[in-house]
Amino acid sequence: MALSIVGVALGVAVVVGIDLANTSARTAFTLSTETVAGRATHSLEASSGTLPDSVYRIIKVDEGFRDAAPVIEGSVRIGEVDGPVVQVLGVDPLAEDPFRSFTGGPDGGIDLGRFMGRSPGVLVAAATAERLNLPEEGRFSAWHEGQHVDLEVEALLPVDSDLDAASLENLIVVDIATAQRVLTMQGQLSRVDLILPEGTEAAFRANHMRGLPDNVTLEQSAGRSDTLAQMTEAFSLNLTAMSLLALVVGMFLIYNTMTFSVVQRRPLLGRLRAVGVTRREMYWMIISEALLVGLAGSILGVVGGLALGNVLVGLVTQTINDLYFVVRIRDLDVSAWSIGKGLAIGIGSTILSTLPPAREATRTAPSMVLKRSATETSTLHALPRLVVSGVVLAVAGVGILWLSGKSIAWSYGGILAIILAFACWIPPIVLLGARTLRPVLGRVFGIIGRMGASGIEQSLSRSAVAVAALTIAVASTTGVGVMVDSFRTTVNTWLTYALEADIYISPPGDVFRRNDATITAEAEHFIRSRPDVEAAYSVRTARVLIDNQETDLIVTEPRPRELEPGRYKATMTGDFRRAMQESDVVMVSEPYAFRYGTNVGDSLRIMTSHGPVAFRVGAIYYDYASDLGVVQMTRDRYDIHFDDPRVSGLAVYATDGKDLDGLIQDLREGTASVQSLNIRSNRDLRQASLDVFDQTFTVTTVLRLLAILVAFVGVLTALMALQLERSRELAVLRANGMTPGQVGRMITLQTSSMGLLAGLLSVPLGLVLAWLLIYVINQRSFGWTLQFEVDGVILLQAILLAVVAAALAAMYPSLSMSRTKASEALREE
Amino acid sequence: MSHLPSLPILSVRDLVKTYREGSLDRAVLQGLSFDIKKGELVVLLGRSGSGKSTLLNLISGMDAPTTGSIRFRDTELTKLSETERTLFRRHAIGIIFQSFNLIPTLKVEENILLPLELGGKLDKDQRQRALAVLEEVGLADRAGSFPDLLSGGEQQRVAIARALAHDPLLILADEPTGNLDFKTAGLVMDILERIVHDKERTMLIATHDRDIIGLADRVFELQEGVLREVSPAESAH
């Protein structure tokens, strides 16, 4: 019974753990967005970059609109140049009162004169100050885009509730002037917050926005968190799918454990039948018991899920921070909905998995307490039906994949059908495999080997389920392994041609793959003027509105060597590179084209500093840096349309023969006093990129290991059931002179053979899964073209993993079986 | 009746077996002593629960006594470890069960060769001797069949052949006719008598089937843990 509960608990824990990690990340982001938005209903924002602070003056003074407050948002790193990131919110305390209660207004207990007058003063929650080790008195160091600033704790923010505490966890509040200085945004604002009574949006546009620059837009505050949630949608969905895969493996386990519990009490059930308990009564008795097991297992699973969620949330946050945005999660967001889902899935799948053993038990005649062979005979008769069911499921799976369009959820549904189809084919294959292995093992290990192989066939209904669970778990490991390997190889190849300069320089940013921090003009000038620098081209990453979607625009100067023609997925006719220099032509990355259905020749409406401009798409290029998709524009066109001379990074070519390490050292020393920059060789940047890549898949590795663990328990329970069923046979063997060691060897041979069959079967299924993950799921989630790379080592590992997992699972049952007293097992006679 | 050699192959002395039931010890066997000589067919009578099977388990080494001695010629069984007892049983004892207990995944021939094969690779002579036993029980033509294709009587004959195949010192039979109809039971009894008396094998049969008593050289009765020898005529009533 305990094993059944553990089985249910493991499956539920994985699903709940992932769900909590996903929702916690989303809630933390929403909370921090809502905290800085306060009671604002709308805001004035620039279509790209920042607003001139004159916008606030126009609205507040010229237009006389009272409920407006200027806001600057940014981030700094505390202590060291690579220290923890905190969000900076710059506000005007005199305008804040209707919006947020951080400064408490004129009567809020904070000395506003000092706060506004003493430039480095910050307001911070006590818990945040403690976590970041901020001194109560005196200044502390902070870094913004590699530039050092001094700050000082002015006062502690009042915390009213847990909600407040969570939202203030990663925030420091400064005066607007301080924010402009710290974040190098002199004369600029991130946005102007507004409180517009309901239904007055159109009137506000008409009455108050006419005097504003063209690139100022009116946005709803509530929409901001939705946009960012969309960014991580595919990522979250894929994690959820992986957790459901663990549940599918878990269902096999639940089936086995519930079967085990029925088998264990078969004599008792037989006696109950004999004294007049009807089939229906017994059926409901078993189902009610499954309900209790499901409930107990699900409750344990939810508790386990909370623990697992705490581990996974760190990994999920790391990936989100590397790829999308900075978010800090203090606590798991445990909602009744997440827990309810976990309980429902656990109880539902337990009852579903108990239906076959309940049927099996109630169909057994009262007198047939030990007639296991009857079940095995019916299993043998069911094999043709299973093969046909497999074919039907496979056809359905392919059909769903074919017809599901871009839907990732349906695609996973199709994959699940294919996995189940394969599972249906496993029993006949196991039967054939066991019959093939019998003479082979017999030749090597004698009667012990023959009986080991026969044991698989003899208990096919148990052994095939255990093999299926192990096959699916190992195949999912292989499938994901091959997918990650293929992805990594593709990224590595891509990095080889994408990174062709010798040295790459950028300011430290908060998000590895979306760095829009800028290099100071002084540092840029120093770098470009070094005699050992033969050439350099700049890159600017700016977030702009393209077709009303905030998108990363990558702006590049012409490279000394352009990308090879084969690196473009599609190009317009003619010289599109020249067209990009001379006219309003851009190119888009493959994920962008996929996400928005963009084709070469299409027109994109890009919101420039001077209003919307239509750009034609000249090419679609392969890019693996961003799953959100980016648009690339030449520097010349950017300078024409945007009032933004800054650069986010520099790619440097050294003069021939120059020692790169020496040049890097030279550049570091030369720029140190101006700005702390990441100056990395081509090789180091590639390694750093691959490290981040590997990090993003850590969570997947954890899930793969959990699936194996679930399968391991599955094999263990199958063997425990076999132990009970075969106790009499083993006693006869012991009576005929089989030593305890020989019993152990026979069981280990049987289980290892099951492991070997599972390992061999996992190879084709794993390759099919990898193919589907690469060409269906990845394509539909991100639109990337990946090379399909199969490393033989991964396949060998899969086989080895299955054999070792099975052999390990056999240890306890074989020990227990070899210790069983033959006299006791035979006493029932 | 066959001639009776003087030296016992089995000597049981002061054998006690107690089981723990809650906080009490229950003595199933209370100081049993007896000998069995080569070529004897000894019948052990007793009601259900009298301790017949327990005694057979102790003699076969599947269980260990609480106190007392079980000696097979030069081997003191109670001094052996579990594995040593198993190896001894494999070579020296053959067991026939009430419900046949053939291994369903092994063919008839494999079932018979099981005790020999567990000892390692078989030589040609061993195999031929074992198959000769199958012929002895009249089932040479069923060597390649699986047990589930045989009738109850045939299965018991295969079980008898398995118990004889490795030419054991002593054959133990626990209610060998208990699962068979009257006619088949008679056939099996004939075989048992033949294999003991014609080939000078030694057998201890535990039963409450008083028809078997007619085959016995000696009869013991086990009552409430105490063993006493009775004459075949007395026991028949």
Side-chain angles (χ1 to χ4, degrees), chain A residues 56 58-68 99 193-197 200 204 208:
Chain A
Y56 176 59
I58 294 169
I59 291 292
K60 189 94 175 182
V61 181
D62 301 355
E63 296 289 326
F65 189 84
R66 282 175 57 87
D67 285 341
F99 291 88
D193 277 352
L194 305 168
I195 299 176
L196 298 183
T200 60
F204 182 86
H208 299 295

Side-chain angles (χ1 to χ4, degrees), chain A residues 522-571:
Chain A
E522 201 180 335
E524 185 188 352
H525 176 72
F526 173 83
I527 294 160
R528 286 189 189 267
S529 62
R530 301 313 293 161
D532 293 327
V533 172
E534 187 184 304
Y537 70 87
S538 72
V539 175
R540 170 81 180 119
T541 307
R543 273 170 216 164
V544 298
L545 278 181
I546 300 179
D547 286 346
N548 292 321
Q549 292 288 335
E550 195 177 73
T551 307
D552 281 353
L553 180 68
I554 311 284
V555 180
T556 55
E557 286 183 318
R559 298 177 180 201
R561 289 188 293 276
E562 277 304 336
L563 299 183
E564 298 162 35
R567 303 311 178 192
Y568 297 99
K569 190 171 187 178
T571 57

